[in-house]
């Protein structure tokens, strides 16, 4: 066990500021100058200072080790550069998701992807890339009835388009016994690259970013796969305003693991936890037979701008019947309105991206609060012109409310948006802002969003009741399967009862305690914020 001393040159050590080296994100400050600083004074250091988020503990498979090992065994490694060209980012674009269809290399035999790394554009020698993360989706062409190679090739020749879909993962090289399949008779022929640009300072730029995939025809012992788990991206994910720490959970349960996992289970070798700007703590929990096992991944100091692959020191076996729970905690002290699930960085997510083996036909295993239960939590039972089944379909299938109630005020009124902020536009366009309450009568003619804004979020007993209801109430689980021949229906379950895992006591007697909420009993005291922009890439299944 390592401990970082919070010391300034010449100052005495203060044990109560010791920081335990764990798997959390550690924020490190640095500075240098011509003279030694005195306590409380960095005069003379000027601009020679900075900060960076780091993961100091845990193993990592490095590119140099992987490539040198291949060279020793005379194994040729190939490269496939996947990039966009001349994507225009305007100063008015705070967030942009850009999608591009690409054709895979022609590989007669199956190969293994053994690693991948980012290729980033910069607009100047001192500028940070605008890329926040990148995702590569494996396309299942059979999912589109009547599709033919000619139509896919048209998309390949295009420069891409604005998109709305999923997320992430950064540089990673895989252990020697695992490779992600590419090519061969059954391999995907097309992929979709999605890049998320984060532009909070209103820069204008052209981007050519992407990433480099390393692959080899020398197959490893196991085919690896990547799956997503957590909270389904939807307005039913809600974080109240003014909260020091508030939890959401997403569940992958037995309805999926019993059907999809082999008898010997799957072995998780690495993962990424992902939320947005309000995220503060994230944990990937593992439950078996009513007992929580050691946490698969845990970060009590989550940093939205520093999202790295976590290589597991010991591979975690997840068996049929097990639960995987993505547990997220958010801080919204300075927000005045509720925050909802969504793709913008001003909205939220609670997701885990897991690399595992042996590969199975599973792309995603996640959950959401059932639509009816979500509204009933806030005392709402019916809307004008829509029954609750219609409302559920709108949420589950990304429907347009105008398809259900055309020729209404929604189609006839358009608010002047010239003075609206991005957050205002998100609220204006929200489905929750278009549902008008009819039952109960005391809420008549309110939109559901305006109803939420009137609730007593400053009352701790009220917000804790909502949090408890959302966590311990019903969850609708989804098992997204890549194989068209397998269909697993969604299921309504309760949050499982289990004995929580108790972490061993800290060997550091002076370790500071953080807020006493949920995800972890202790956490390291940290300082500063990191502004390091990180780029990510994610290999998943199905771009439909």
């Amino acid at each position: 066990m390592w401990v970082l001393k919070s010391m300034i040159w010449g100052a005495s050590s203060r044990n109560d500021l010791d920081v335990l080296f764990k798997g959390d994100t550690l924020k490190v400050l640095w500075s240098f100058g011509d003279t030694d600083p005195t306590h409380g004074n960095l005069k003379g250091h000027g601009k020679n200072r900075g900060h960076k988020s780091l993961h100091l503990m845990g193993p990592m498979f490095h590119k140099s080790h992987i490539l040198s090992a291949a060279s020793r065994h005379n194994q040729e490694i190939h490269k496939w550069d996947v990039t966009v060209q001349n994507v225009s980012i305007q100063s008015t674009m705070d967030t942009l998701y850009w999608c591009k269809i690409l054709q895979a290399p022609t590989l007669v035999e199956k190969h293994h992807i053994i690693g991948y790394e980012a290729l980033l554009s910069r607009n100047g020698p001192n500028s940070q890339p605008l890329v926040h993360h990148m995702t590569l989706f494996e396309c299942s062409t059979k999912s589109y009835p009547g599709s033919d190679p000619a139509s896919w090739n048209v998309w390949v020749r295009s420069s891409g388009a604005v998109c709305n879909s999923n997320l992430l993962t950064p540089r990673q090289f895989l252990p020697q016994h695992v490779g992600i399949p590419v090519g061969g008779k059954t391999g995907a022929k097309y992929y979709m690259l999605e890049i998320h640009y984060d532009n909070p300072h209103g820069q204008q730029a052209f981007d050519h970013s992407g990433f480099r995939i390393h692959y080899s025809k020398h197959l490893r012992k196991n085919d690896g796969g990547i799956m997503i788990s957590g909270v389904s991206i939807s307005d039913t994910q809600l974080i109240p305003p003014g909260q020091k720490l508030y939890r959401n959970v997403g569940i992958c349960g037995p309805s999926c693991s019993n059907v999809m996992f082999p008898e010997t289970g799957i072995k998780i070798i690495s993962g990424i936890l992902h939320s947005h700007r309000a995220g503060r703590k994230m944990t990937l929990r593992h439950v078996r037979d009513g007992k929580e096992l050691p946490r698969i991944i845990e970060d009590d100091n989550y940093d939205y701008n520093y999202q790295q692959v976590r290589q597991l020191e010991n591979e975690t076996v997840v068996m049929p019947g097990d639960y995987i729970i993505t547990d997220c905690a958010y801080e919204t002290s300075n927000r005045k309105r509720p925050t909802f699930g969504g793709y913008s960085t001003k909205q939220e997510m609670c997701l885990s991206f897991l690399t595992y083996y042996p590969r199975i036909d599973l792309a995603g295993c996640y959950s959401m609060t059932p639509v009816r239960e979500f509204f009933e939590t806030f005392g709402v039972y019916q809307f004008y012109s829509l029954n609750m089944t219609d409302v559920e379909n709108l949420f589950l299938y990304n429907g347009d409310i105008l398809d259900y109630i055309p020729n209404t005020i929604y189609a006839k009124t358009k608010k002047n948006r010239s003075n609206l902020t991005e957050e205002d536009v998100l609220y204006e366009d929200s489905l929750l802002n278009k549902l008008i309450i009819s039952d109960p009568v005391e809420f008549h003619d309110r939109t559901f969003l305006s109803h939420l804004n009137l609730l007593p979020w400053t009352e701790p007993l009220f917000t804790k009741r909502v949090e408890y209801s959302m966590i311990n109430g019903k969850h609708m689980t989804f098992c997204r399967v890549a194989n068209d021949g397998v269909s697993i229906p969604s299921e309504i379950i309760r949050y499982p009862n289990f004995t929580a895992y108790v972490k061993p006591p800290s060997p550091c007697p002076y370790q500071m305690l953080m807020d006493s909420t949920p995800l972890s009993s202790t956490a390291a005291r940290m300082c500063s914020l990191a502004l390091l922009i990180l780029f990510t890439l994610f290999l998943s299944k199905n771009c439909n």
Side-chain angles (χ1 to χ4, degrees), residues 187-230:
K189 300 297 186 292
Y190 298 91
Y191 290 79
M192 184 179 76
L193 172 64
E194 175 196 86
I195 301 182
H196 174 204
Y197 297 97
D198 190 26
N199 189 25
H201 303 299
Q203 298 182 53
Q204 186 163 350
F206 287 94
D207 187 74
H208 313 278
S209 297
F211 51 85
R212 175 166 293 162
I213 296 173
H214 300 267
Y215 64 96
S216 171
K217 70 176 181 179
H218 298 277
L219 301 183
R220 295 175 167 186
K221 183 177 179 181
N222 299 287
D223 283 352
I226 299 179
M227 61 173 283
I228 181 174
S229 190

Side-chain angles (χ1 to χ4, degrees), residues 83-143:
T83 61
V84 295
Q85 298 295 323
N86 291 319
V87 175
S88 176
I89 299 122
Q90 301 300 316
S91 59
T92 56
M93 295 176 177
D94 181 80
T95 293
L96 171 66
Y97 282 84
W98 188 263
C99 286
K100 172 76 175 77
I101 299 292
L102 304 121
Q103 189 165 10
T106 302
L107 303 173
V108 178
E109 299 177 356
K110 181 172 80 172
H111 288 55
H112 268 166
I113 294 172
I114 62 170
Y116 40 90
E117 54 189 329
L119 303 173
L120 296 172
S121 295
R122 294 180 182 269
N123 297 307
N126 299 318
S127 65
Q128 291 287 351
L130 294 181
V131 174
H132 183 265
H133 66 255
M134 298 181 287
T135 311
L136 186 65
F137 293 92
E138 188 178 288
C139 297
S140 176
T141 56
K142 295 179 181 178
S143 299

Side-chain angles (χ1 to χ4, degrees), residues 10 15 19 52 62 111 236 281 313 342 387 409 454 484 534:
N15 288 334
V19 174
K52 183 169 182 173
H62 294 285
H111 288 55
T236 60
K281 298 183 179 186
E313 187 171 357
N387 60 46
I409 56 171
L454 292 172
D484 297 331
L534 186 81

Side-chain angles (χ1 to χ4, degrees), residues 243-506:
Q243 303 300 301
K244 288 185 179 180
L245 221 55
Y246 182 93
R247 290 171 62 204
N248 285 159
V249 299
I251 303 171
C252 174
S255 61
C256 193
S257 63
N258 270 332
V259 178
M260 296 303 302
F261 291 9
E263 289 185 6
T264 54
I266 61 171
K267 294 183 178 180
I268 298 175
I269 58 177
S270 66
I272 287 184
L273 304 176
H274 178 73
S275 63
H276 285 172
R277 291 176 181 170
R280 294 296 179 269
K281 298 183 179 186
M282 295 191 71
T283 301
L284 185 63
R285 309 175 73 172
H286 183 197
V287 176
R288 178 181 299 157
D289 297 330
K291 181 180 178 180
E292 183 180 12
L293 304 179
R295 311 284 166 80
I296 301 174
I297 308 173
E298 185 169 30
D299 193 342
D300 282 340
N301 298 290
Y302 176 80
D303 184 349
Y304 160 73
N305 285 316
Y306 189 73
Q307 300 173 56
Q308 292 283 318
V309 169
R310 303 294 193 104
Q311 302 281 7
L312 302 189
E313 187 171 357
N314 297 303
E315 297 174 355
T316 298
V317 180
V318 184
M319 300 294 291
D322 286 3
Y323 290 87
I324 301 173
I325 301 172
T326 306
D327 200 327
C328 304
Y330 306 90
E331 188 262 318
T332 58
S333 298
N334 297 321
R335 300 191 183 188
K336 304 301 182 185
R337 298 186 289 192
T339 300
F340 301 99
Y343 296 97
S344 167
T345 54
K346 291 180 173 61
Q347 298 170 313
E348 271 307 330
M349 293 182 176
C350 179
L351 297 172
S352 305
F353 296 89
L354 308 175
T355 305
Y356 68 91
Y357 72 93
R359 178 181 173 122
I360 55 178
D361 286 321
L362 181 63
C365 182
Y366 40 84
S367 72
M368 63 182 283
T369 301
V371 174
R372 186 183 301 271
E373 280 71 17
F374 172 75
F375 291 114
E376 290 181 354
T377 299
F378 303 103
V380 173
Y381 302 96
Q382 192 62 54
F383 299 99
Y384 284 112
S385 303
L386 294 167
N387 60 46
M388 198 55 75
T389 299
D390 292 333
V391 176
E392 289 177 342
N393 289 335
L394 285 169
F395 279 89
L396 294 176
Y397 305 110
N398 297 316
D400 188 337
I401 196 168
L402 298 182
D403 295 336
Y404 289 83
I405 44 176
N407 302 319
T408 67
I409 56 171
Y410 304 119
K412 296 176 183 178
T413 59
K414 285 190 177 180
K415 193 172 182 177
N416 185 350
R417 300 190 174 202
S418 58
N419 297 320
L420 296 182
T421 64
E422 184 197 6
E423 184 179 6
D424 291 333
V425 171
L426 290 172
Y427 270 73
E428 182 70 20
D429 290 342
S430 172
L431 175 57
L432 301 180
N433 194 41
K434 299 174 182 178
L435 296 171
I436 300 178
I437 300 171
S438 62
D439 182 22
V441 294
E442 58 265 34
F443 303 153
H444 266 195
D445 299 329
R446 291 183 192 174
T447 69
F448 184 75
L449 191 56
S450 64
H451 172 65
L452 289 179
N453 289 331
L454 292 172
L455 295 177
W457 298 118
T458 57
E459 297 292 335
L461 289 177
F462 175 74
T463 53
K464 286 300 178 185
R465 180 184 68 80
V466 172
E467 180 186 52
Y468 181 87
S469 175
M470 293 292 190
I471 293 174
N472 294 284
K474 295 179 180 179
H475 294 259
M476 177 178 281
T477 63
F478 303 91
C479 193
R480 186 179 177 190
V481 181
N483 186 339
D484 297 331
V486 179
S487 177
I488 301 177
S490 59
E491 183 180 41
I492 304 293
I493 65 170
R494 288 273 181 183
Y495 189 75
N497 290 320
F498 58 87
T499 302
Y501 174 71
V502 178
K503 293 190 293 186
S506 168

